[in-house]
Amino acid sequence: MVDNAPNSILLSLRRIIQDFSSKNSFEEAIATFVEEIRTSTDVDCCSLYLLDARRTYLRLAATDGLSKSSIGKANLRVGEGLVGLVAQKQELINLADAPSHPNFKFLPDVGEDEFLSFLGVPVINQGELLGVLVIQSREDRQFDEQEESFLITLSAQIASTVSLNRNKLYQENSSTRFKGQVGTGGIAIAQAAVWKPPVTFNNLQIMYTDERTIQSELFHQTIFQLQTEMDKKVLSMRENSQSRAESGYIHGYGSLLDDSELIDEVDRAILDQGYVAASAIKVVVQSRLERDQKILSKDKMRDLIDFAHILIYRLTHIYSSNDEIQQNEILVVRTLPAATVADLPRDKVEGFICVDSATSSHTAILAQDLGIPAVIGVQLSLDEIDGHTVIIDGQNAEVIVDPSPSVIDEYNQLISQGQERQDLFESEKKEKGISIDGRRITIQLNAGLNHEAKDLTDETDGIGLYRTEIAFMLNSSLPTEEQQIGWYSNLLSQFKGRPVCMRTLDVGGDKGLPYLPIEEQNPALGWRGIRVCIDQPDILKTQLRAMMYAHMEHGNLEVMVPMIARLEEVLIVKRLLNEAISEVEQENNTIISRPRFGVMIEIPCLAYVLDDIAQEVDFFSIGSNDLIQYLFAVDRNNPKVSKFFDPFNPAAVRCLKYLVDKSKILKKPLSICGELAGSSLGSLLLMSLGFEHLSMNYSQMARVKYIVRHTNISELIKVGTQALTLSNSDQIKALYEDFARVNGLSRVIELSDNIRS
Ligand code: PEP
Ligand code: MG
């Protein structure tokens, strides 16, 4: 126990700090530091744990009382054990009987078993958590206030030195960490291979030719070759249920391949003006960019430049083909066109890094859907990185250059943990979504194409969102009624006996149809979703008739309408639906069961008219991607503002709660089908607020099912009630992270879950 005399306390403090500062090495300083604290406080043990460079583990850095051989080896995750709890809460913990605390964790080989009392304080420098300082005693006793303030003072005194030296201790001073703007996929470790195209859109020299017909043919051949490659890629994505990747791919440059105006312009530039093919592309794209700069979004401009890049690479024979890439490399480039992402030879490329932050957002979307580890917008010098070992941490949007062996070990451990987690989910994927306390959560699939390659009926409770626009995007013109009947019948028969919720055509905004171009200054707030269909009722009517033909045969259709903002819109769609039903009935001399009819809640104004809308519909479904976009006025595709796209913000949490409560009062089932539903922490948030119907992409289903099956929802609802009282997003998120840890879900939940639409 510290001698209570104020002078003696001050003297001890001064001596310990002086000794700490006088040591030659940091290791020596912290070793002496813990020894002196132990003797001054007359306890049995004093230890210092420091946060590793990844900020996930607290590692024993110095101890007097525990086994010295555990220094540098004993690890606790933030949140794990009592030390982890101090770090997580960033608060002092003082316990007389530590082993009886629910968070107590026994670490074998450390020699902690003989200690009963525990006092831990966080080490924090300028708001950054660095570690935890602990004293322990064999006696069962509460440390007094004097001892608490003694430890707090010491921890504050050493914090700035710890901050400067912590990395050296883990020999990570040679590795350099770079933060990117967007990350996708998991972890990749490999040598960096820098690829710098010798000719780019900007530096391409304009050249002329006498062989105009040959150049024109070359250009058409290249377009044809790209088109064939794209068709092949689309097919393989379809087989792998990567509908979002597929639509991103098509969006990336597929529509430009079909842009006959652009192709004609290039052709004329070759044939009439005598440019070589590559130069003609540059001239035409440049003049388009100048002409349309006011109406084209940044992403569209980027798509156009990327498209030009791809054609120029091909035409100047500098396309980085598979043969140029060695085995197991991480590609480092200035920028990578979205379309090239789908072409990356996955058996050779472990991941990629783009240093240019203006890389198309479709590049990231595609990489995410294809599960490719990638970081975009990293300030790295392309001249200095070739051949160096790098780690891509897609989850945290970080790149580590020249990692030390211990860092590599740690990341390898994370990779195998990821694999372990995957195996864990696989074993449950055919089970029902029933929680520990017996509550049924329906888990449905978001689909964009028929999943013919896989029989998913055992794994889902049906389809909660079928994005009909994806099939429209793949067609070269508006599909006919017959074509659509074929698509819809196929899907309904595949999921016979289970509901299939088809969304009426949702184009505009970030989803374009090559044959229905919509160029607007502000597409997210423009002519999109149901607005297009109401202005073009023939398109909607044909679609509804096709749906009804399919439903007549199979009977499991639900119809859902996107982007509804007004009751009038619901009434118009209902009128068209009624017409479609009676026409199909008359044409077939039969009676058709009415499909369940619902609207998506994506535009916040709908919350204020739910009573009126409820009179007209059977169900509601929240499109959280758009709802959050419009709630916070934050572009869902713009990585620069992604931090504002925050479902844990109190406004989002309260809005979701309002909607779930209100639909219960109105006795209308409410589901949710945005990305939030399929994210691990997001699914916890939703269930805690009372959501019972979640719909998500195939790749997320097994994990969410696992979470449901390992959660006591009555307990989780208490967390939801608490979340509603908080006014800070980090605190709300921490509640769910805590819940996950305490309930053994920390292995399953990646705590840095990135929820983007
Ligand atoms: C949504 O907005 O959440 C949604 C599911 O629709 P989409 O992502 O297709 O706009
Ligand atoms: Mg939407």
Side-chain angles (χ1 to χ4, degrees):
M1 203 175 295
V2 186
D3 183 341
N4 274 355
N7 255 350
S8 141
I9 297 171
L10 277 178
L11 284 175
S12 300
L13 280 173
R14 192 185 299 159
R15 180 175 39 81
I16 295 175
I17 297 303
Q18 268 170 1
D19 287 354
F20 178 81
S21 318
S22 67
K23 297 291 175 235
N24 288 333
S25 78
F26 181 61
E27 272 131 309
E28 216 188 318
I30 53 177
T32 317
F33 181 68
V34 292
E35 269 167 37
E36 291 189 351
I37 295 177
R38 194 189 70 72
T39 42
S40 319
T41 50
D42 197 23
V43 292
D44 300 303
C45 175
C46 175
S47 314
L48 178 67
Y49 293 81
L50 295 181
L51 203 57
D52 70 348
R54 258 179 70 75
R55 314 188 55 73
T56 27
Y57 284 102
L58 289 150
R59 200 167 290 166
L60 184 64
T63 182
D64 185 15
L66 298 181
S67 154
K68 291 257 195 288
S69 61
S70 299
I71 293 177
K73 293 189 194 128
N75 278 327
L76 284 160
R77 269 186 169 272
V78 172
E80 189 184 21
L82 292 172
V83 173
L85 200 60
V86 175
Q88 187 192 13
K89 294 200 175 299
Q90 304 203 6
E91 272 171 23
L92 161 158
I93 293 183
N94 182 354
L95 299 168
D97 182 10
S100 66
H101 189 280
N103 231 54
F104 178 81
K105 174 156 183 184
F106 175 68
L107 287 180
D109 306 325
V110 172
E112 213 176 5
D113 36 346
E114 52 200 273
F115 304 123
L116 281 179
S117 51
F118 172 100
L119 171 62
V121 298
V123 183
I124 298 172
N125 184 49
Q126 294 183 353
E128 187 197 6
L129 177 79
L130 303 173
V132 175
L133 181 61
V134 179
I135 54 176
Q136 288 169 287
S137 153
R138 287 196 184 87
E139 280 173 70
D140 164 0
R141 74 173 173 95
Q142 196 85 32
F143 292 104
D144 63 23
E145 278 182 17
Q146 199 78 252
E147 286 160 318
E148 286 185 1
S149 66
F150 185 71
L151 214 59
I152 292 170
T153 313
L154 284 169
S155 135
Q157 291 285 341
I158 61 161
S160 63
T161 314
V162 170
S163 170
L164 289 173
N165 292 280
R166 180 171 62 112
N167 282 352
K168 281 194 209 134
L169 190 68
Y170 295 139
Q171 297 164 346
E172 279 161 1
N173 50 336
S174 59
S175 49
T176 330
R177 182 173 293 263
F178 297 87
K179 188 85 187 146
Q181 288 188 338
V182 186
T184 67
I187 294 164
I189 307 175
Q191 304 302 114
V194 172
W195 188 64
K196 285 196 225 167
V199 181
T200 65
F201 181 76
N202 289 334
N203 71 12
L204 179 84
Q205 298 288 328
I206 298 296
M207 291 199 306
Y208 295 88
T209 179
D210 290 334
E211 297 172 326
R212 299 182 179 195
T213 332
I214 295 179
Q215 285 294 318
S216 161
E217 251 169 46
L218 208 61
F219 168 64
H220 283 285
Q221 263 174 27
T222 311
I223 293 278
F224 178 73
Q225 192 189 7
L226 280 173
Q227 185 75 61
T228 322
E229 284 175 21
M230 187 173 101
D231 289 348
K232 269 202 264 164
K233 267 281 154 337
V234 165
L235 268 180
S236 96
M237 288 179 190
R238 212 180 279 190
E239 276 163 14
N240 292 311
S241 311
Q242 286 155 334
S243 54
R244 249 170 63 95
E246 182 188 346
S247 65
Y249 185 60
I250 292 160
H251 202 78
Y253 78 156
S255 52
L256 289 166
L257 278 171
D258 282 335
D259 185 335
S260 52
E261 198 188 319
L262 182 77
I263 290 172
D264 284 352
E265 276 177 49
V266 176
D267 225 10
R268 277 202 307 275
I270 300 171
L271 294 172
D272 302 347
Q273 292 164 270
Y275 290 110
V276 298
S279 302
I281 291 158
K282 175 168 174 169
V283 169
V284 168
V285 167
Q286 223 159 23
S287 80
R288 245 199 201 199
L289 289 172
E290 277 158 26
R291 186 192 70 190
D292 297 343
Q293 59 176 314
K294 291 227 172 73
I295 53 167
L296 283 185
S297 67
K298 282 220 174 80
D299 249 350
K300 288 254 162 63
M301 286 168 99
R302 176 50 64 185
D303 279 349
L304 204 54
I305 295 172
D306 282 353
F307 180 63
H309 265 133
I310 291 176
L311 289 173
I312 291 169
Y313 295 165
R314 298 272 176 140
L315 285 161
T316 49
H317 309 291
I318 53 159
Y319 179 64
S320 169
S321 70
N322 293 1
D323 324 331
E324 283 178 44
I325 298 168
Q326 307 293 313
Q327 285 298 325
N328 300 58
E329 284 183 338
I330 285 177
L331 198 60
V332 187
V333 285
R334 181 152 303 285
T335 176
L336 198 64
T340 313
V341 176
D343 284 340
L344 288 176
R346 285 307 311 280
D347 51 335
K348 293 180 185 168
V349 174
E350 299 280 326
F352 67 87
I353 299 168
C354 294
V355 296
D356 192 344
S357 57
T359 300
S360 161
S361 67
H362 296 126
T363 299
I365 292 172
L366 257 172
Q368 182 74 51
D369 281 357
L370 296 170
I372 304 177
V375 182
I376 290 165
V378 197
Q379 304 245 303
L380 270 175
S381 158
L382 288 184
D383 297 329
E384 289 167 16
I385 193 172
D386 201 34
H388 287 249
T389 302
V390 286
I391 297 178
I392 291 181
D393 180 350
Q395 193 80 48
N396 292 313
E398 276 184 351
V399 172
I400 298 154
V401 180
D402 294 330
S404 66
S406 64
V407 172
I408 294 182
D409 279 356
E410 195 156 305
Y411 277 92
N412 273 327
Q413 226 176 348
L414 287 178
I415 293 174
S416 41
Q417 276 171 13
Q419 188 50 50
E420 214 179 286
R421 273 202 296 262
Q422 212 43 49
D423 298 345
L424 207 66
F425 309 147
E426 282 299 303
S427 63
E428 304 237 359
K429 76 177 184 197
K430 298 214 162 148
E431 303 292 338
K432 291 257 169 291
I434 299 176
S435 69
I436 295 180
D437 51 337
R439 299 209 195 197
R440 178 75 166 96
I441 302 291
T442 55
I443 296 178
Q444 295 189 308
L445 177 69
N446 287 353
L449 286 159
N450 294 7
H451 288 259
E452 278 161 20
K454 282 191 184 137
D455 177 8
L456 304 176
T457 40
D458 282 354
E459 297 177 35
T460 74
D461 293 311
I463 293 198
L465 166 67
Y466 174 66
R467 291 180 160 107
T468 55
E469 60 276 5
I470 307 278
F472 275 64
M473 284 174 181
L474 286 175
N475 233 42
S476 48
S477 57
L478 264 182
T480 62
E481 185 174 305
E482 279 67 41
Q483 254 180 313
Q484 294 187 58
I485 295 175
W487 298 338
Y488 305 151
S489 292
N490 246 334
L491 192 67
L492 293 186
S493 79
Q494 249 181 283
F495 285 82
K496 194 132 191 127
R498 286 168 206 249
V500 173
C501 183
M502 290 193 189
R503 174 168 80 182
T504 58
L505 187 66
D506 185 14
V507 289
D510 58 345
K511 288 172 264 186
L513 289 182
Y515 43 86
L516 185 69
I518 306 173
E519 292 295 351
E520 292 176 307
Q521 282 235 24
N522 207 344
L525 301 182
W527 202 51
R528 61 166 300 197
I530 199 59
R531 299 170 186 176
V532 176
C533 285
I534 286 179
D535 289 350
Q536 306 270 329
D538 288 356
I539 299 180
L540 180 58
K541 180 72 175 291
T542 308
Q543 183 174 43
L544 291 170
R545 280 178 51 94
M547 287 181 181
M548 291 322 301
Y549 262 99
H551 180 59
M552 179 175 77
E553 204 183 329
H554 304 288
N556 50 339
L557 172 77
E558 296 181 344
V559 178
M560 178 162 84
V561 194
M563 292 294 295
I564 287 287
R566 298 175 303 134
L567 175 66
E568 291 82 339
E569 292 160 350
V570 183
L571 297 176
I572 294 172
V573 180
K574 264 187 98 171
R575 179 174 48 77
L576 290 170
L577 177 66
N578 289 341
E579 283 173 20
I581 296 175
S582 42
E583 284 170 16
V584 176
E585 284 183 340
Q586 274 170 26
E587 285 159 25
N588 294 278
N589 199 15
T590 185
I591 299 289
I592 306 173
S593 67
R594 216 187 145 74
R596 291 179 76 241
F597 175 75
V599 297
M600 291 188 75
I601 305 179
E602 297 182 287
I603 307 183
C605 66
L606 218 61
Y608 299 97
V609 288
L610 276 191
D611 297 75
D612 307 306
I613 307 263
Q615 313 268 337
E616 306 296 335
V617 301
D618 302 307
F619 65 90
F620 295 117
S621 180
I622 295 178
S624 56
N625 305 337
D626 277 314
L627 183 64
I628 294 174
Q629 155 162 272
Y630 296 122
L631 197 60
F632 294 109
V634 56
D635 180 347
R636 57 190 267 185
N637 288 322
N638 183 348
K640 284 201 195 102
V641 289
S642 61
K643 64 171 181 285
F644 304 120
F645 190 96
D646 180 8
F648 292 90
N649 178 293
V653 174
R654 291 174 205 178
C655 172
L656 290 166
K657 179 65 178 165
Y658 170 78
L659 293 172
V660 86
D661 286 352
K662 185 75 186 174
S663 48
K664 274 184 190 146
I665 294 169
L666 295 169
K667 299 198 171 46
K668 297 291 170 191
L670 173 72
S671 60
I672 179 157
C673 59
E675 292 301 296
L676 183 62
S679 78
S680 40
L681 273 189
S683 63
L684 282 180
L685 166 72
L686 292 169
M687 290 187 287
S688 81
L689 299 177
F691 281 84
E692 289 166 349
H693 309 289
L694 311 177
S695 189
M696 62 204 69
N697 295 337
Y698 179 69
S699 62
Q700 301 161 323
M701 279 178 31
R703 182 168 62 166
V704 172
K705 210 175 265 189
Y706 183 95
I707 293 171
V708 171
R709 294 178 57 77
H710 290 79
T711 295
N712 180 325
I713 294 190
S714 315
E715 289 301 315
L716 181 59
I717 285 174
K718 292 183 194 157
V719 177
T721 311
Q722 209 184 335
L724 288 162
T725 64
L726 298 176
S727 48
N728 171 296
S729 166
D730 289 341
Q731 286 171 357
I732 295 178
K733 202 165 180 194
L735 280 183
Y736 294 94
E737 290 171 347
D738 271 359
F739 180 88
R741 282 195 195 95
V742 171
N743 290 281
L745 289 170
S746 34
R747 275 172 71 222
V748 179
I749 307 227
E750 289 116 7
L751 294 174
S752 50
D753 224 2
N754 249 336
I755 305 156
R756 291 273 312 273
S757 63

